[in-house]
């Protein structure tokens, strides 16, 4: 055992954050290139599955570790809340597939960009957990994630407004509206994790 | 006062869990026998009401108890989160009634089975709260509840996919889609409680 | 510095609660008078924006304060959860506008009354935070907020049931159903904050 115990958790959270960034990059690519194929849905499922593995590793590590860098229940919450994000990306990708939407709209592309920016800002936020000496950086990244969540809200509202104005088929309205809402909720989940990181650092300040 | 104070809370949580199991058994029966009658909706309301009473008893007991088996706010959260599950079962049953759906689909029946399995696994999880010496059992039940939540997701996705493929009336699509989603969310609520039990035991380990 | 540090937080929470009451009064007025104009949506956005400013002030104050009246993470949660309510009121008002619903239904008016009663009861609950000597008052206000949340559920269910019985245009069903659901969720958010206040007082009892 060369690494101090604390580093194990930070490494695992960083890997969760990295998996998130990879998943959102992949999602953005599939949306922008209109390649929501069964193979790509399966590939997104791999990101979701790897997220589950990391979460279980964090729980097992917690059960074997006597001294933790911050409260045990916060470690558990952070692992579960980060896992929610990749779960939601898989749900979203799968929903495109189940709804047979092969050509995502411009709004879906813009939302995919916002999601991608949000997971990247989240990765930076999670990286600040290793020390409470960079609270200003944490706070700055959290403000950015909050801004992206607002951007997601505005995009979703514009998209839904446009949908009701131009689409007359109620079945298509139901499908597209839900895809916009699930996409936007990914930025909400990123904000929840950012708030949690902020809360952990505030508590341990 | 014969019982040690701690036992009061465990007994109350066990009663909440038992009420949940009874409510989900009753729901499953009404769905499988297509008997979503006003009388049965009222009977489900009784389960919901009894759940509220147990929650209030827990809060009152908390206010009269000086030493608690684990953190006061966790006792409050656990009581409220368990109550969410029976509230959701009543919401679901009532929604079937409001939507005049008298013959539940095969997917609704399968989801009722998954919900029933999940509340039973939850009852076992809650029973492990009395001691942190059975963490492996807790963890095993939590893994099962997580598996059932995934099963619920897959069932809901299949059901909705099938609905869009075969149902042309958008009003029926709106109703059935929501019934599948509320049903599935019951397994999410069970997972939240399981995570909370795990978190309480991790904290007190 | 004349005020003791603790008072700063209670003053800020009171201002958040007051902002909520003003926002819900304004919402109720716009709904009852059918004046969901772009100007009034912008005015509601001002309440939302002022809520954000108060939340940021609370976070900044937290970072500059060594001794806090209760746990730092509870202060953060309370600020964020109160902010959720005014965010939801803006979302709701904006949705009416985006959906071009210029004449709210009787059910929307009744829900606006319930929301208004709920934020007023919440203001009283938040005011009890200054001391744990008024737990009975806290509990009484929480029971009232719980009652209003149930009232909101019943109103939403009646409204949706009525909608499906009388409205044949699925696009209108989608819009009105969502407006009822977002309105009702405001009373859920009030209940979350009431539960949190109760939990903070229970913990510090």
């Amino acid at each position: 055992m060369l690494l101090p115990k604390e580093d194990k958790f930070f490494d695992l959270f960083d890997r969760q954050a990295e998996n998130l960034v990879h998943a959102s990059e992949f999602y953005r690519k599939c949306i922008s290139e209109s390649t929501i194929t069964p193979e790509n849905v399966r590939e997104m499922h791999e990101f979701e599955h790897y997220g589950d593995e990391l979460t279980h590793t964090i729980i097992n590590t917690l059960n074997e570790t006597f001294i933790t860098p911050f409260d045990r229940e916060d470690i558990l919450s952070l692992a579960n809340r980060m896992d929610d994000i990749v779960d939601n990306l898989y749900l979203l990708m799968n929903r495109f597939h189940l709804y047979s939407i092969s050509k995502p709209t411009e709004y879906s592309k813009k939302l995919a960009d916002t999601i991608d920016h949000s997971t990247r800002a989240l990765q930076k936020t999670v990286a600040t957990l290793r020390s409470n000496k960079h609270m200003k950086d944490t706070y700055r990244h959290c403000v950015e994630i909050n801004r992206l969540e607002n951007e997601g809200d505005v995009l979703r509202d514009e998209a839904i407004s446009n949908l009701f104005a131009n689409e007359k088929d109620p079945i298509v309205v139901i499908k597209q509206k839900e895809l916009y809402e699930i996409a936007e909720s990914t930025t909400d989940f990123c904000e929840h994790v950012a708030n949690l990181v902020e809360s952990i650092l505030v508590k341990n300040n």
Side-chain angles (χ1 to χ4, degrees), chain A:
Chain A
M1 192 63 138
L2 292 173
L3 287 173
K5 278 174 191 306
E6 304 212 347
D7 279 3
K8 288 183 301 190
F9 291 104
F10 298 126
D11 289 349
L12 286 163
F13 289 133
D14 283 344
R15 276 160 71 186
Q16 273 196 310
E18 193 185 29
N19 187 47
L20 270 183
V21 167
H22 290 164
S24 67
E25 262 174 10
F26 182 69
Y27 172 72
R28 183 192 201 171
K29 192 169 170 288
C30 295
I31 292 297
S32 75
E33 299 177 356
S34 298
T35 51
I36 306 139
T37 60
E39 295 73 38
N40 284 342
V41 173
R42 270 197 294 279
E43 191 157 335
M44 183 59 97
H45 195 248
E46 289 302 308
F47 289 113
E48 193 262 355
H49 186 69
Y50 182 56
D52 284 345
E53 277 182 15
L54 287 171
T55 309
H56 292 153
T57 305
I58 291 170
I59 295 172
N60 288 337
T61 306
L62 197 56
N63 289 332
E64 292 160 5
T65 307
F66 191 63
I67 296 170
T68 53
F70 44 87
D71 285 357
R72 309 180 77 81
E73 70 270 30
D74 286 332
I75 291 176
L76 199 60
S77 280
L78 189 56
N80 283 323
R81 292 297 78 73
M82 284 181 82
D83 201 39
D84 288 346
I85 305 172
V86 68
D87 283 0
N88 201 58
L89 279 172
Y90 170 63
L91 173 77
L92 177 56
M93 180 91 166
N94 195 35
R95 216 30 85 95
F96 267 96
H97 179 58
L98 290 177
Y99 288 179
S100 313
I101 308 280
S102 52
K103 276 190 73 71
T105 65
E106 281 308 307
Y107 286 113
S108 286
K109 288 176 191 172
K110 284 182 191 169
L111 280 162
D113 291 348
T114 305
I115 291 168
D116 196 38
H117 297 150
S118 192
T119 59
R120 279 166 204 278
L122 190 62
Q123 188 178 31
K124 289 181 198 157
T125 316
V126 168
T128 66
L129 266 177
R130 287 173 190 266
S131 156
N132 59 12
K133 288 182 186 137
H134 309 292
M135 281 292 284
K136 281 195 180 160
D137 289 336
T138 313
Y139 190 60
R140 189 165 48 83
H141 298 312
C142 284
V143 167
E144 171 66 2
I145 289 166
N146 190 277
R147 190 191 67 75
L148 289 164
E149 194 275 326
N150 285 333
E151 183 178 292
D153 280 351
V154 171
L155 277 172
R156 178 205 55 201
D157 285 351
E158 278 181 28
I160 291 177
S161 189
N162 186 276
L163 184 65
F164 278 110
N166 297 305
E167 179 59 59
K168 297 305 163 210
D169 181 349
I171 298 288
V172 176
V173 168
I174 295 169
K175 288 177 176 178
Q176 289 286 6
K177 181 169 180 288
E178 188 179 18
L179 292 173
Y180 294 140
E181 287 168 344
I182 300 176
E184 189 279 327
S185 70
T186 318
T187 65
D188 291 342
F189 286 127
C190 288
E191 200 184 24
H192 295 170
V193 174
N195 285 341
L196 186 56
V197 171
E198 202 175 18
S199 161
I200 291 169
L201 287 167
V202 159
K203 200 173 4 174
N204 292 283
N205 213 6

